[in-house]
């Protein structure tokens, strides 16, 4: 029978020590692993809350933008539930809940909420976890009011130049008439004209042999949207026929033009206008806003130069053409014309067809003084055509995002001054289009856009706003 041999005591002690060391090493590794896991979890949670806090700040900004948009539309309830003082508005949006019993709020402050100047919005979003410190994000945005007429010729779909040698350039009506001498060898004529098509179709902008002294915008991501004839030109005044300066061609151009609607203020019904007429008529009273509103079945002026529809000096007149879609709403032929005299404005709203030839529109070198608004809604059946033809001269802004605009010039007075927005635009013959740069500042009633977005990350940056965001 074999006897079991025991290890010497010294060896048994060494084995125990080795086991203890191994256990300690494993314990240290486990603790380190657990701490690493806890650290990663904390980092992940903080990252999650940081993203959630930024989203919360953006939500606050959107609430402010919504109220600003409603205020632009004249909604008296735009700032309900906000605290107002002087030219500032503020509000604390609370009761946001997140995972793991976390809660959040966002404080929003709006400077210039009354829109007398471009607003600035600041949001301070806070998320408080069930455990651990709160997470904050501060964001500020500066706004600007968009102009519907920041460009000269803008088509949602095709923009086509054909026949003759049409041209596009610019001037500034605030400096006087087109091409007027400004002294020192300078003239009120610039190579800052602009024309664009938002269509993504190949050759949606067909320049043919016409000249764009300025910039071109196309909807395609490459230059396939632009088709240029052998004598076409895009560039500055030093460029020669047949050359295209592609640094002046912008791609990925998009538009977002809302439908226009006529004012709902009660108007004076006067039937059709077919002869010499002066508005406002004697005895007619203006509306509360000081403008004269008229509902007219149509305007048809032809024959001698004495057949003029004129707006008397110092008056603002709004004409709503009630002729239906597809019918002729405005027709100017022969030597007849529409005249908007100095210090006056004429706004015309219609979904019917418009044809301006003859003497066209005369309005003291101020295109903004005559405004033609198409009320044809998007998706409507049929078409609406707006035509400037013959020697007709149009000095106006035309906003017709769902209509087809044709400019068929010719002769010494076949010119168009101002800006045009349409679904399609066709420029034929010798039409010369002169974009009025003053219209880029015409922003009243238009929505605001973001000109600057900035996260405030340092104490110095936040100190500018901390006092007004401590409510």
């Amino acid at each position: 029978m074999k006897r079991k041999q025991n290890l010497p005591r010294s060896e048994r002690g060494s084995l125990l020590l080795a086991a203890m060391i191994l256990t300690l090493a494993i314990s240290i590794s486990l603790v380190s692993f657990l701490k690493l896991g806890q650290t990663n979890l904390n980092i992940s949670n903080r990252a999650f809350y940081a993203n959630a806090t930024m989203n919360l700040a953006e939500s606050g900004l959107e609430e402010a933008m919504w109220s600003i948009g409603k205020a632009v539309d004249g909604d008296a309830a735009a700032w309900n539930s906000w605290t107002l003082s002087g030219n500032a508005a503020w509000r604390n949006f609370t009761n946001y809940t997140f995972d793991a019993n976390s809660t959040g709020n966002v404080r929003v402050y709006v400077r210039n909420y009354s829109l007398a100047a471009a607003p600035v919005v600041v949001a301070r979003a806070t998320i408080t976890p069930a455990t651990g410190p709160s997470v904050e994000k501060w964001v500020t945005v500066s706004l600007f009011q968009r102009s519907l007429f920041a460009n000269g010729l803008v088509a949602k779909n095709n923009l086509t130049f054909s026949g003759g040698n049409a041209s596009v350039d610019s001037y500034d009506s605030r400096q006087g008439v087109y091409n007027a001498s400004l002294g020192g060898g300078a003239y009120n004529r610039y190579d800052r004209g602009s024309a664009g098509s938002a269509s993504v179709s190949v050759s949606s902008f067909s320049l043919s042999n016409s000249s764009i002294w300025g910039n071109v915008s196309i909807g395609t991501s490459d230059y396939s949207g632009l088709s240029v004839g052998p004598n076409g030109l895009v560039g500055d005044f030093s460029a020669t026929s047949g050359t295209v300066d592609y640094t002046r061609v912008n791609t990925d151009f998009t538009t977002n033009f809302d439908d226009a609607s006529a004012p709902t203020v009660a108007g004076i019904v006067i039937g059709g206008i077919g002869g010499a007429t002066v508005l406002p008529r004697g005895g007619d009273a203006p509306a509360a806003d000081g403008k004269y509103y008229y509902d007219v079945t149509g305007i048809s002026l032809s024959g001698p130069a004495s057949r003029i529809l004129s707006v008397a000096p110092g008056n603002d007149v709004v004409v709503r053409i009630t002729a239906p879609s597809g019918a002729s709403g405005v027709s100017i032929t022969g030597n007849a014309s529409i005249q908007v005299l100095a210090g006056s404005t004429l706004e015309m709203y219609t979904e019917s067809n418009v044809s301006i030839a003859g003497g066209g529109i005369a309005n003291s070198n101020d295109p903004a003084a005559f405004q033609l608004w198409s009320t044809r809604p998007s998706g409507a059946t049929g078409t609406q055509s707006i035509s400037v033809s013959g020697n007709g001269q149009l000095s106006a802004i035309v906003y017709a995002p769902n209509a087809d605009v044709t400019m068929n010039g010719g002769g010494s007075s076949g010119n168009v001054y101002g800006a045009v927005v349409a679904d399609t635009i066709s420029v034929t013959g010798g039409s010369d289009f002169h974009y009025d740069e003053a219209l880029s500042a015409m922003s009243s009633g238009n929505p605001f856009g973001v000109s600057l977005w900035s996260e405030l990350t340092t104490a110095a940056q936040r100190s500018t706003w901390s006092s007004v965001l401590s409510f």
Side-chain angles (χ1 to χ4, degrees), residues 26-44:
I26 293 173
S27 299
I28 292 173
S29 298
L30 287 174
V31 170
S32 299
F33 181 77
L34 291 174
K35 285 185 174 293
L36 179 61
Q38 184 65 42
T39 300
N40 288 336
L41 179 61
N42 290 337
I43 293 174
S44 177

Side-chain angles (χ1 to χ4, degrees), residues 103-442:
T103 59
N105 72 292
V106 55
R107 286 165 279 192
V108 184
Y109 177 86
V110 181
R111 187 173 68 191
N112 297 327
Y113 85 93
S114 63
L115 310 183
V120 177
V121 185
V122 188
R124 177 184 179 181
T126 305
I127 291 182
T128 304
T131 59
S134 298
V135 179
E136 284 197 349
K137 291 288 185 180
W138 297 46
V139 178
T140 179
V141 295
S142 298
L143 306 181
F144 74 100
Q145 198 161 25
R146 297 186 179 98
S147 173
L148 296 174
F149 307 104
N151 296 286
L153 292 172
V154 179
K156 288 167 54 177
N157 286 295
N158 290 352
L159 173 55
T160 304
F161 291 79
S162 61
N165 54 344
S167 67
V168 175
D169 60 7
S170 71
Y171 78 113
D172 191 331
S173 62
R174 293 167 293 193
Q175 297 179 336
V177 299
Y178 171 75
N179 208 29
S181 174
L182 303 177
Y187 292 87
N188 190 15
R189 176 175 179 252
Y190 305 103
D191 49 12
R192 298 192 291 261
S194 56
S197 164
S199 172
V200 295
S201 300
V202 173
S203 300
S204 55
F205 190 127
S206 179
L207 184 58
S208 186
N209 293 314
S210 298
S211 300
I212 305 290
W213 285 297
N215 301 298
V216 164
S217 299
I218 50 179
T220 53
S221 59
D222 54 22
Y223 298 120
S224 63
L226 177 63
S227 172
V228 183
N231 294 314
L233 181 155
V234 178
D236 58 25
F237 285 145
S238 66
T240 58
S241 296
T243 61
V244 176
D245 180 356
Y246 282 97
T247 66
R248 288 174 171 257
V249 179
N250 306 307
T251 58
D252 292 318
F253 177 61
T254 61
T255 61
N256 184 24
F257 293 115
D258 295 329
D259 293 349
S261 57
T264 57
V265 177
I268 303 167
V269 179
I270 61 174
I273 295 177
T277 304
V278 178
L279 298 177
R281 305 175 308 179
D284 289 342
D289 61 2
K291 297 181 179 181
Y292 293 84
Y293 291 82
Y294 293 96
D295 293 313
V296 180
T297 55
I299 298 173
S300 180
L301 298 173
S302 62
S306 60
R307 294 185 178 173
I308 301 172
L309 167 61
S310 61
V311 178
N315 292 280
D316 298 317
V317 172
V318 178
V319 172
R320 292 174 293 221
I321 305 296
T322 59
S325 175
S328 175
V330 179
S331 176
I332 311 294
T333 60
N335 293 314
S337 63
I338 295 177
Q339 294 186 359
V340 184
L341 301 180
S344 300
T345 63
L346 173 59
E347 300 174 38
M348 190 175 294
Y349 296 83
T350 181
E351 62 176 335
S352 55
N353 296 330
V354 176
S355 177
I356 298 174
I361 308 292
N363 60 3
S364 303
N365 190 48
D366 182 9
F370 177 72
Q371 303 173 19
L372 177 60
W373 299 85
S374 165
T375 56
R376 171 181 166 80
S378 58
T381 58
T383 59
Q384 179 186 19
S385 66
I386 298 173
S387 173
V388 181
S389 61
N391 286 328
Q393 178 170 303
L394 178 65
S395 181
I397 60 173
V398 178
Y399 184 78
N402 306 307
D404 301 319
V405 172
T406 300
M407 290 181 285
N408 184 6
S412 60
S413 61
N415 292 277
V416 179
Y417 302 83
V420 177
V421 173
D423 183 32
T424 67
I425 299 176
S426 177
V427 183
T428 63
S431 294
D432 293 319
F433 178 82
H434 314 292
Y435 170 54
D436 182 3
E437 296 180 16
L439 298 175
S440 63
M442 183 179 172

